[in-house]
Amino acid sequence: DAKTTQPPSMDCAEGRAANLPCNHSTISGNEYVYWYRQIHSQGPQYIIHGLKNNETNEMASLIITEDRKSSTLILPHATLRDTAVYYCIVSLYNQGGKLIFGQGTELSVKP
Amino acid sequence: DTGVSQNPRHKITKRGQNVTFRCDPISEHNRLYWYRQTLGQGPEFLTYFQNEAQLEKSRLLSDRFSAERPKGSFSTLEIQRTEQGDSAMYLCASSSPRALNTEAFFGQGTRLTVV
């Protein structure tokens, strides 16, 4: 079973920041938090991952709480093309592509 | 390199027939994964290979399913005696443990419809 809990859906206005929460209260010390997204009819796409420090790349920022029991993915300026299902996954670093997906959050970016 | 390639993209088959899907991973990625995704659900892990060795199989992978990666490059997933419940998107992913990031790269998937 997935070790994360996410809201099933969220809306965001185009150009605004999208903040997607994830709870992972049972995360162990050597597990990372990964985020993937899946645009309709495509394969999942890696976004970002982190262990305990906040991370930023060209796509998004990842904020992990100090106790590591929750995290937030931030898309700073959402566009219509960011409409997708976003999955938060906890996984051991060397597991690579062995991922246990939950239901994810369906993000709708509206004009 | 154009990423992970899966063929065919769509397959319609009659119940009871056998089907085979192919996945070509990113070159030099030694890990290859198969997932199944049904409508409205997240992908479910089926199996994975490191080079040509199949290291793990999910209990979801019934005896009618078999996967191979004979030379450690491309992989095939075969479903024998298909059932309507096999209708799903079959996704392939690859990763390299030698890379700084061990994220997985997914293909576009093969959508199977069993009629």
Side-chain angles (χ1 to χ4, degrees), chain A residues 1 34 36 38 41-46 49 87 92-103, chain B residues 9 31 33 35 37 40-43 45 56 89 91 95 99-104 106-108 111:
Chain A
D1 290 344
Y34 284 81
Y36 283 75
Q38 188 172 25
S41 296
Q42 297 185 19
Q45 176 192 23
Y46 166 82
H49 76 281
Y87 295 100
L92 295 172
Y93 187 71
N94 64 359
Q95 289 284 313
K98 186 194 170 186
L99 304 164
I100 307 301
F101 288 81
Q103 301 276 52
Chain B
R9 292 292 310 279
R31 291 184 176 177
Y33 308 80
Y35 287 80
Q37 185 174 27
Q41 304 296 315
F45 169 79
E56 189 169 346
M89 174 78 84
L91 292 160
S95 72
L100 187 61
N101 291 324
T102 60
E103 72 268 24
F106 284 80
Q108 299 276 52
R111 182 168 296 283

